[in-house]
Amino acid sequence: MSEYLNTEELVAAYPALFSVSMLKKSRMKYADVAGPPHINLGRKVVYDRSDVEAWLLGLKRVVQKSAAVAPVVKLRRGRPTKADQIARRAAY
């Protein structure tokens, strides 16, 4: 049988991942924050430990580092400086 945890027990089991307020916000209908699947038992909310662990595994990302990384080009905003204008004229 599965182990069910209430909100406070889940926060105590995973203190670095969850807070009580984050879990409450994730249960709202139009939540900005996605949270683990929960079960409503009347006014009580419980989380199945196996569902929470499966949800955490779904968040895992694999980052592949490539050898060639494109340089970051900083886009300039606003009016060009006098030096930019002179350099552009010289390039033509």
Side-chain angles (χ1 to χ4, degrees):
M1 188 166 140
S2 298
E3 180 183 0
Y4 293 102
L5 306 170
N6 64 19
T7 303
E8 289 78 20
E9 292 170 343
L10 184 63
V11 170
Y14 301 99
L17 300 174
F18 302 116
S19 67
V20 174
S21 64
M22 178 267 190
L23 291 172
K24 286 181 180 179
K25 289 176 186 175
S26 71
R27 292 193 304 256
M28 294 193 314
K29 187 173 182 180
Y30 298 107
D32 293 335
V33 180
H38 64 279
I39 301 167
N40 289 331
L41 300 173
R43 293 179 64 186
K44 193 173 191 177
V45 176
V46 294
Y47 298 88
D48 188 353
R49 184 181 286 274
S50 60
D51 287 345
V52 171
E53 291 173 358
W55 179 79
L56 287 172
L57 287 175
L59 295 178
K60 187 184 281 189
R61 295 186 303 163
V62 177
V63 178
Q64 297 178 354
K65 294 184 179 180
S66 62
V69 177
V72 176
V73 177
K74 185 175 179 183
L75 296 177
R76 304 198 102 199
R77 297 181 67 192
R79 186 177 176 147
T81 62
K82 192 68 169 179
D84 291 339
Q85 293 173 358
I86 293 170
R88 191 174 313 131
R89 278 191 227 135
Y92 289 123

